[in-house]
Amino acid sequence: MATPVINVVERTNLASQIYEHLREQLMSATFQPGQRLKIRDLAKTMGTSETPVREALIMLEGEHLIDIRPRRGMTVRRQSLQDLMQIYEVFSALEAMACRIVAREGLAPGVHARLNQLMTAMERATEKEDVAGWSELDDAFHWAIAEASGNDRLRATLRTYWAEQFR
């Protein structure tokens, strides 16, 4: 009887891997807002069955990265200006919370040095007028603070809003 449990775990792991892959594609704008996502095509491209792809897409809908509409299919979500403003408000409050936690608890060894490294690299990117590089470093700086908070739920929520904000 252990076989079904193993199959479920393996399928869940596969769905998680597909979720991460599709999430990365959404974040890098491989898929465009409004683009239709077909389970069959995605499964074929990834060399897997449709079930783990469907499970991954449901997880992405939970992050508001795609829309699933009965009898209409799945599409990459379009963010309205109002959506973006609401996302930014929540994201800002969550980042402020992470900062308060870090201020209260202090930094773990090595975190201060990492933040200083990122700040120095951001200064260099500014001098070179490297906007893309600066933006990537800024993201890393903010994420380092979230990580330093040690609050798993806060990080998970921030990750969701990060995905919506920076897509």
Side-chain angles (χ1 to χ4, degrees):
M1 289 290 168
T3 304
V5 173
I6 292 170
N7 287 340
V8 169
V9 170
E10 288 173 359
R11 187 176 66 231
T12 301
N13 286 338
L14 181 58
S16 295
Q17 290 172 10
I18 293 169
Y19 157 80
E20 289 294 337
H21 175 72
L22 291 174
R23 188 176 193 283
E24 179 59 37
Q25 288 188 311
L26 287 163
M27 296 299 291
S28 65
T30 301
F31 300 117
Q32 298 302 310
Q35 181 177 343
R36 187 150 185 223
L37 301 174
K38 296 180 182 178
I39 294 172
R40 181 175 290 140
D41 294 344
L42 292 170
K44 186 176 179 180
T45 300
M46 290 185 248
T48 186
S49 67
E50 293 179 17
T51 301
V53 173
R54 184 176 296 108
E55 291 171 5
L57 290 169
I58 289 169
M59 288 188 270
L60 291 166
E61 181 191 33
E63 286 193 36
H64 307 286
L65 295 175
I66 67 168
D67 289 320
I68 300 176
R69 302 219 197 290
R71 294 180 299 283
R72 290 190 181 154
M74 302 178 189
T75 57
V76 177
R77 186 174 181 142
R78 290 182 197 273
Q79 300 291 4
S80 69
L81 181 57
Q82 182 179 3
D83 287 334
L84 294 174
M85 289 173 60
Q86 290 175 359
I87 290 165
Y88 182 76
E89 286 175 345
V90 173
F91 186 77
S92 296
L94 292 170
E95 276 203 322
M97 182 183 298
C99 289
R100 283 192 301 276
I101 292 169
V102 169
R104 181 183 69 223
E105 302 295 326
L107 292 172
V111 176
H112 189 266
R114 174 72 178 139
L115 293 173
N116 279 333
Q117 288 173 340
L118 289 167
M119 294 270 302
T120 300
M122 288 168 68
E123 288 170 1
R124 282 192 210 115
T126 300
E127 290 167 3
K128 295 178 183 176
E129 298 183 14
D130 178 6
V131 176
W134 184 91
S135 181
E136 188 175 315
L137 291 163
D138 182 61
D139 291 350
F141 182 85
H142 286 269
W143 191 247
I145 292 171
E147 287 287 321
S149 77
N151 186 316
D152 294 336
R153 291 177 188 258
L154 176 61
R155 286 192 304 253
T157 306
L158 268 168
R159 183 174 189 233
T160 298
Y161 280 93
W162 199 293
E164 288 187 80
Q165 181 179 4
F166 297 111
R167 178 168 58 83

